[in-house]
């Protein structure tokens, strides 16, 4: 090859993505749509915003030579408010991607809008499996957990320990409905039975009538298919009603570090839970989490860790794609490895579900806790194949398209 041609070839190979970058508005803008003041504010909220900001800071604040900007808003657990914010972000403010979105009803509404607008959404706080099943989107990525994962991890452990008859207290919206259904399937498949169920409004202050029904059912296990402050309130009032003292057990199908912090170890000890991450796993997670605590006053929930990992991966995909174009970024997200402090053996399936190692944990007794936020004993690692919806049963069109490809 002639020297001039060789030089031209090397120049092409060494050209940086920034030299060809196509970034809309000369800024990569990410919106954290979360719950700042409601029932899940402690496990999402300001912590989710901080997690996104930390991911941007670690990236150096720029990608493809363009500034990265974070904006945030509170959807108030209302689908119309959430979609109104998202529509303005997409149409007026130039937001390229949305992160977090606790509340499955809000998330499903955002999923439909983002599919129409061709914008990326990184779900950490939402739990419904519909996001990667019949309501899947090429632009939607379900990052941290879903109801299938936590119900299979926790309910199966409780049934194996002898909790064979259940009564459910479920929050009355998409998340609670799906969590109850998934846990019911696990219990019955393992040979257990469900004695009944009752649903309560979001952010319920008085669980007395629901707990009386649970007591009257005679079930060995009262399964809490709710989240955040609803779980904490239900567990506190169950203790006041003497459910455990009367021979019943509580199973919180989704329980977060902040919930345990609010309850106290004396009230929460012995409770099984399934989590996608834990701050105290190793030296690297401890170091990151101490920095997070310095900003927020708490250790990260798995949802906070999920926002951090999702935003980090999104920015890596923008860098690889050389653009913030959603189609190209979504393709890059599926191509590159998921690699952050809290993601082990993780990958992104065609339906947008991130499959990852999860952990079956048990809340420590007060005497076993050696330092602040030392709340969990890891019982075992749960491999990804035990906690994700089988693709063979998927109703997601993206899965069928991938199979044909």
């Amino acid at each position: 090859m002639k020297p001039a041609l060789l030089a031209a070839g090397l120049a092409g190979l060494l050209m940086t993505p920034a030299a060809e970058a196509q970034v809309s508005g000369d800024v990569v803008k990410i919106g954290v749509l979360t719950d700042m003041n409601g029932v899940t504010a402690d496990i999402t909220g300001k912590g989710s915003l901080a997690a996104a900001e930390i991911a941007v800071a670690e990236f150096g604040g720029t990608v493809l030579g363009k500034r990265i900007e974070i904006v945030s808003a509170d959807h108030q657990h209302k689908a119309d408010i959430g979609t109104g914010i998202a529509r303005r972000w997409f149409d007026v403010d130039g937001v390229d991607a949305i992160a977090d979105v606790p509340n499955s009803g809000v998330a499903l509404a955002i999923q439909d809008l983002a599919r129409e607008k061709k914008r990326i959404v990184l779900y950490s706080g939402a739990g419904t499996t519909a996001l990667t099943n019949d309501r899947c989107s090429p632009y939607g990525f379900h990052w941290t957990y879903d109801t299938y994962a936590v119900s299979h991890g926790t309910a199966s452990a409780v049934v194996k320990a002898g909790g064979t008859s259940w009564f459910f207290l479920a929050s009355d919206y998409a998340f609670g409905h799906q969590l109850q259904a998934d846990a019911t399937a696990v219990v019955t498949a393992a040979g257990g039975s469900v004695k009944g169920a009752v649903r309560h409004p979001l952010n319920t202050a008085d669980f007395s009538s629901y707990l009386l029904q649970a007591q009257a059912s005679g079930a060995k296990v009262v399964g809490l298919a709710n989240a955040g402050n609803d779980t904490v309130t239900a567990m506190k009032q169950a203790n006041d009603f003497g459910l455990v003292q009367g021979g019943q057990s509580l199973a919180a199908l989704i329980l977060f570090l902040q919930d345990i912090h609010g309850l106290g170890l004396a009230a929460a000890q012995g409770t099984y839970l399934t989590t996608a991450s834990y701050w105290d796993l190793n030296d690297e997670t401890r170091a990151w989490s101490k920095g997070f605590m310095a900003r927020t006053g708490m250790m990260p929930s798995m949802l906070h860790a999920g926002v951090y990992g999702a935003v980090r991966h999104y920015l890596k995909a923008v860098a690889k794609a050389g653009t913030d174009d959603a189609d190209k970024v979504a393709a890059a997200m599926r191509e590159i490895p998921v690699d952050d402090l809290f993601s082990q053996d993780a990958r992104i399936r065609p339906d947008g579900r991130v499959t990852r190692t999860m952990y079956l944990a048990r809340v420590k007794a007060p005497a076993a806790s050696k330092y602040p936020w030392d709340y969990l004993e890891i019982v075992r690692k749960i491999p990804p194949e035990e906690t994700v919806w089988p693709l063979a049963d998927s109703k997601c069109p993206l899965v069928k398209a991938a199979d044909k490809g």
Side-chain angles (χ1 to χ4, degrees), residues 175-232:
F175 168 79
H177 299 177
Q178 190 65 57
L179 188 54
Q180 178 189 337
D182 288 342
T184 296
V186 174
V187 170
T188 55
S193 62
V194 175
K195 300 293 187 181
V198 63
R199 290 174 175 170
H200 64 83
L202 192 67
N203 212 10
T204 294
D206 184 2
F207 280 87
S208 57
S209 64
Y210 309 123
L211 292 168
L212 286 171
Q213 292 180 62
Q215 280 183 317
S217 73
K220 293 181 180 180
V221 180
V222 178
L224 303 179
N226 48 23
N229 292 345
D230 281 335
T231 304
V232 172

Side-chain angles (χ1 to χ4, degrees), residues 273-297:
L273 63 135
T274 301
T275 184
S277 65
Y278 182 46
W279 75 271
D280 205 14
L281 284 178
N282 53 53
D283 289 343
E284 289 76 18
T285 58
R286 280 187 284 274
W288 189 94
S289 298
K290 287 175 182 177
F292 179 90
M293 187 171 187
R295 293 176 66 123
T296 64

Side-chain angles (χ1 to χ4, degrees), residues 14-318:
L14 295 173
M15 184 176 291
T16 63
E20 298 177 335
Q22 296 180 355
V23 174
S24 56
D26 280 338
V27 60
V28 174
K29 190 176 289 190
I30 301 168
V32 178
L33 186 58
T34 189
D35 169 17
M36 288 295 187
N37 300 293
V39 66
T40 57
D42 289 345
I43 56 178
T44 60
K46 68 177 184 179
S48 294
L49 177 58
E53 290 172 343
I54 292 170
V56 170
E58 288 182 1
F59 222 79
T62 63
V63 61
L64 299 173
K66 306 297 183 181
R67 179 172 55 90
I68 305 166
E69 182 180 343
I70 298 287
V71 297
S72 65
D74 186 345
H75 60 43
Q76 301 177 45
H77 290 278
K78 296 178 180 179
D80 59 339
I81 291 176
T83 51
I85 293 167
R87 189 178 297 277
R88 185 185 73 246
W89 278 355
F90 293 154
D91 292 346
V92 179
D93 298 336
V95 168
D96 299 292
I98 290 177
D100 200 13
V101 202
N103 187 301
S104 292
V106 178
L108 289 170
I110 298 297
Q111 180 91 316
D112 293 340
L113 177 65
R115 186 190 299 108
E116 173 194 336
K117 299 293 183 178
K118 295 187 177 182
R119 300 294 172 92
I120 300 288
V121 188
L122 311 163
Y123 301 102
S124 184
T128 178
T129 55
L131 288 167
T132 54
N133 197 28
D134 56 306
R135 301 279 290 276
C136 71
S137 164
Y139 310 106
F141 296 88
H142 208 168
W143 202 264
T144 306
Y145 83 106
D146 61 20
T147 56
Y148 185 96
V150 293
S151 61
H152 278 68
T154 304
S156 61
V158 173
V159 173
K160 287 176 184 177
T164 53
S165 61
W166 288 59
F167 184 95
F168 287 101
L169 269 65
S171 51
D172 194 11
Y173 71 109
F175 168 79
H177 299 177
Q178 190 65 57
L179 188 54
Q180 178 189 337
D182 288 342
T184 296
V186 174
V187 170
T188 55
S193 62
V194 175
K195 300 293 187 181
V198 63
R199 290 174 175 170
H200 64 83
L202 192 67
N203 212 10
T204 294
D206 184 2
F207 280 87
S208 57
S209 64
Y210 309 123
L211 292 168
L212 286 171
Q213 292 180 62
Q215 280 183 317
S217 73
K220 293 181 180 180
V221 180
V222 178
L224 303 179
N226 48 23
N229 292 345
D230 281 335
T231 304
V232 172
T233 302
M235 290 182 73
K236 284 180 177 178
Q237 293 181 14
N239 185 60
D240 294 339
F241 269 73
L243 258 71
V244 175
Q245 296 90 325
Q248 291 178 298
S249 297
L250 290 177
L253 293 171
I254 183 162
L255 190 67
F256 295 93
L257 202 63
Q258 284 74 11
D259 301 335
I260 300 165
H261 190 74
L263 280 165
L265 290 178
Q269 63 182 311
T271 303
Y272 282 98
L273 63 135
T274 301
T275 184
S277 65
Y278 182 46
W279 75 271
D280 205 14
L281 284 178
N282 53 53
D283 289 343
E284 289 76 18
T285 58
R286 280 187 284 274
W288 189 94
S289 298
K290 287 175 182 177
F292 179 90
M293 187 171 187
R295 293 176 66 123
T296 64
M298 60 184 168
M299 289 300 181
S301 73
M302 73 170 178
L303 304 184
H304 299 146
V307 170
Y308 162 74
V311 170
R312 191 173 185 270
H313 190 79
Y314 170 76
L315 293 173
K316 289 172 66 176
V318 171

